[in-house]
Amino acid sequence: QVQVVESGGGLVQAGGSLNLSCTVSGLNFVNRAMGWFRQAPGTEREGISCIGWRGRSIYYGDAVKGRFAVSRDDAKDTVYLQMHSLKVEDTAMYYCAANQFVDCPGSWRQSAGFGDWGQGTQVTVSS
């Protein structure tokens, strides 16, 4: 049984930082691209970042480029999302997901190929 568990969310002031973690079990983590997504109430889910095999390909959504950094530790079956210079508009539930492919598909932002999802961790940025 695949389990995807996010952690690290919380309340932070604008301009601050948070580090999210996502630990996966029940699948061959090293051979899966991993993605981070977020969804605020009343909005569509947004692709934040995708990291492919051994971190050799990394992609970011335009809204977070230059402020967020994704990484993975295959020895720990864990993917991380470092978030800096947080803005109020970053407030959302953040989800981690495992892709069926080794590398991020071209349409990763639209959740293509992501079949195993976590329950999410809430990030709230106050002004």
Side-chain angles (χ1 to χ4, degrees):
Q1 181 179 357
V2 177
Q3 285 192 317
V4 180
V5 181
E6 305 94 338
S7 62
L11 174 64
V12 64
Q13 285 191 327
S17 298
L18 274 178
N19 295 322
L20 305 185
S21 298
C22 169
T23 300
V24 182
S25 60
L27 53 75
N28 190 2
F29 181 84
V30 67
N31 287 329
R32 300 293 195 100
M34 295 297 299
W36 285 99
F37 298 82
R38 69 185 182 188
Q39 188 169 20
T43 70
E44 293 187 354
R45 186 166 57 197
E46 177 186 12
I48 296 300
S49 182
C50 186
I51 181 167
W53 186 72
R54 299 195 183 280
R56 293 187 182 183
S57 58
I58 290 177
Y59 304 92
Y60 296 101
D62 290 341
V64 305
K65 202 172 295 182
R67 299 188 297 122
F68 291 11
V70 67
S71 61
R72 63 188 297 160
D73 185 339
D74 292 336
K76 296 182 179 180
D77 291 351
T78 299
V79 61
Y80 305 96
L81 185 68
Q82 295 179 311
M83 305 186 295
H84 303 288
S85 302
L86 283 162
K87 305 175 181 180
V88 171
E89 50 265 43
D90 292 319
T91 296
M93 185 71 79
Y94 282 70
Y95 298 92
C96 173
N99 200 278
Q100 62 179 318
F101 299 117
V102 168
D103 288 315
C104 302
S107 53
W108 69 267
R109 292 174 180 80
Q110 289 73 44
S111 310
F114 289 97
D116 297 293
W117 292 79
Q119 294 299 307
T121 185
Q122 178 67 38
V123 172
T124 302
V125 184
S126 63
S127 58

